[in-house]
Amino acid sequence: MKIAVVGATGLVGQKILDVLTERNFPIDELYPVASERSVGKEIVFNGKKYKVISMMDAINLKPQIAIFSAGGDTSSKWAPEFEKAGTFVVDNSSAWRMHPEKKLIVPEINASELSVDDKIIANPNCSTIQMVVALAPLHKKYKIKRLIISTYQSISGTGVKAVEQLDNERAGIDGEMAYPYPIDKNCLPHCDVFEDNAYTKEEMKLINETRKILCDDSIRITATAVRVPVVGGHSESVNIEFEKDFDLDELKNLLSESEGVILQDEPEKNIYPMPKFAHEQDEVFVGRIRRDFSNPNSLNMWIVADNLRKGAATNAIQIAEYLSKNQLV
Ligand code: A2P
């Protein structure tokens, strides 16, 4: 298969190349694309050197799938051009996620919705993906009424510049700032930009994308998204109110049997999910599962995943694998 990776020089783009190699994705030709300033630069894939090409050159080569991770503006402008060339676009940006005619896909939950006509497919936001992987089986069985979410998000979600900011701060070097404040030894209750309603865009993504993926606009959701000086992955504290009551052991059992979920919940042995250990893993880790005694039919849960993997690259490649395995490409 001919595959283009748009944003191949970025953090997610690099992770996409790693995950394509690890999963032995059937690639005959790889087209790495980045901005004009990177055209001609060399990248390494599967031990071979490739030159970065321009967007137009990639479109003219008519890849079967283009995996985009180059920001919303780039996706809005260029995904339709790839579509015209007959390419399936799997897009990591927020550009198409809430478009009423575009599908927002987490393969464990809703890949079966995809058809040959879905040429632009949206990959959800990183913090949404890991949460819905854990929530979807619970919603099916107990029906979620309300979610109260607090996130503890890795700086890698912001991109190369944020990782450089943290490295510079730790090395005592003055450099370019990705955030309005220092991030080392700090927490910023500010992920993405503020909207008119005083929530951040990241918080609104969690709210709107979760409803779209779970196909249920009746779920009431509120969120606070916080950036923390962590590199390995995102963590989330989620309070869930169900319509039906649950048996805690049965619920944990359901999670342990759910695709893509690993239960790490033995507090007496200090076993619970942590970003340091979710780093470079493709699964979603859940733990600290306990009844919320302050409210009927309610539960607290801690959810952790590598935001560059299941939150971005791995999910996008699982979508590409679905297209390939189901002969949609
Ligand atoms: P470049 O390296 O040439 O700037 P990150 O989010 O980690 O900063 O990565 C962003 C990725 O998106 C990079 O690969 C970057 O390429 C790419 N990119 C940014 N703007 C464009 C554009 N207009 N066209 C294609 N790729 C772009």
Side-chain angles (χ1 to χ4, degrees):
M1 206 176 298
K2 298 194 284 185
I3 302 285
V5 174
V6 178
T9 54
L11 276 187
V12 175
Q14 289 288 309
K15 195 57 73 183
I16 288 168
L17 297 175
D18 293 347
V19 178
L20 284 170
T21 306
E22 280 170 27
R23 295 173 79 97
N24 277 322
F25 194 88
I27 297 186
D28 302 309
E29 285 177 54
L30 176 83
Y31 307 136
V33 181
S35 73
E36 289 296 335
R37 63 187 166 267
S38 298
V39 169
K41 260 193 196 167
E42 275 184 350
I43 59 128
V44 177
F45 173 69
N46 248 340
K48 252 179 78 183
K49 286 183 182 159
Y50 290 80
K51 280 209 160 57
V52 170
I53 62 172
S54 71
M55 205 73 95
M56 272 320 295
D57 285 347
I59 292 168
N60 290 333
L61 288 162
K62 296 191 185 298
Q64 276 114 328
I65 301 177
I67 305 178
F68 266 61
S69 192
D73 292 344
T74 310
S75 296
S76 300
K77 181 170 171 201
W78 291 101
E81 302 302 319
F82 277 88
E83 181 179 23
K84 278 184 213 151
T87 300
F88 278 88
V89 172
V90 181
D91 182 36
N92 267 299
S93 82
S94 58
W96 302 97
R97 289 178 190 151
M98 295 310 296
H99 189 293
E101 277 148 33
K102 301 289 180 256
K103 310 247 167 91
L104 186 58
I105 299 294
V106 177
E108 290 87 342
I109 304 172
N110 59 359
S112 59
E113 289 178 14
L114 291 172
S115 77
V116 277
D117 299 325
D118 295 308
K119 283 290 186 300
I120 300 178
I121 302 163
N123 208 47
N125 174 46
C126 45
S127 40
T128 307
I129 293 178
Q130 66 181 67
M131 187 177 73
V132 294
V133 167
L135 293 185
L138 303 183
H139 185 52
K140 209 166 168 190
K141 178 131 193 202
Y142 308 107
K143 191 162 178 10
I144 297 169
K145 276 174 73 176
R146 182 170 188 226
L147 297 169
I148 304 170
I149 307 157
S150 301
T151 71
Y152 304 68
Q153 297 189 211
S154 158
I155 54 151
S156 61
T158 314
V160 174
K161 278 193 184 135
V163 178
E164 281 168 4
Q165 178 181 332
L166 182 71
D167 288 347
N168 285 340
E169 284 177 35
R170 288 185 175 168
I173 299 167
D174 271 341
E176 213 183 315
M177 302 274 283
Y179 301 116
Y181 293 99
I183 185 64
D184 195 23
K185 301 179 182 166
N186 204 5
C187 295
L188 308 186
H190 177 180
C191 296
D192 210 330
V193 297
F194 284 98
E195 298 202 335
D196 291 343
N197 64 4
Y199 282 74
T200 60
K201 237 185 181 167
E202 184 82 5
E203 290 159 353
M204 294 312 297
K205 286 176 198 169
L206 270 160
I207 295 167
N208 295 327
E209 293 179 21
T210 299
R211 288 187 178 139
K212 180 164 174 175
I213 298 162
L214 297 180
C215 285
D216 191 341
D217 283 339
S218 74
I219 304 174
R220 289 177 293 137
I221 309 177
T222 190
T224 303
V226 180
R227 193 72 64 187
V228 295
V230 162
V231 184
H234 291 349
S235 306
E236 299 173 328
S237 163
V238 184
N239 179 272
I240 314 163
E241 182 183 340
F242 295 108
E243 201 164 280
K244 299 180 194 146
D245 202 5
F246 54 87
D247 174 85
L248 199 57
D249 288 333
E250 203 175 83
L251 182 147
K252 286 187 194 180
N253 209 29
L254 175 62
L255 282 170
S256 71
E257 286 170 357
S258 297
E259 198 188 338
V261 178
I262 294 187
L263 183 70
Q264 288 183 330
D265 200 12
E266 295 177 77
E268 64 290 352
K269 295 187 193 155
N270 294 341
I271 294 177
Y272 35 74
M274 284 175 279
K276 196 174 182 74
F277 304 107
H279 190 43
E280 298 299 359
Q281 306 294 316
D282 287 313
E283 292 83 7
V284 172
F285 300 86
V286 297
R288 299 296 323 279
I289 300 171
R290 61 213 191 273
R291 198 172 269 282
D292 170 3
F293 299 115
S294 73
N295 203 40
N297 308 344
S298 297
L299 183 85
N300 286 311
M301 180 154 71
W302 179 247
I303 307 171
V304 179
D306 185 326
N307 52 297
L308 295 184
R309 281 185 172 256
K310 185 56 188 166
T314 303
N315 198 72
I317 290 163
Q318 287 171 326
I319 294 172
E321 285 172 347
Y322 183 89
L323 296 174
S324 160
K325 280 186 191 140
N326 291 277
Q327 276 107 43
L328 297 176
V329 269

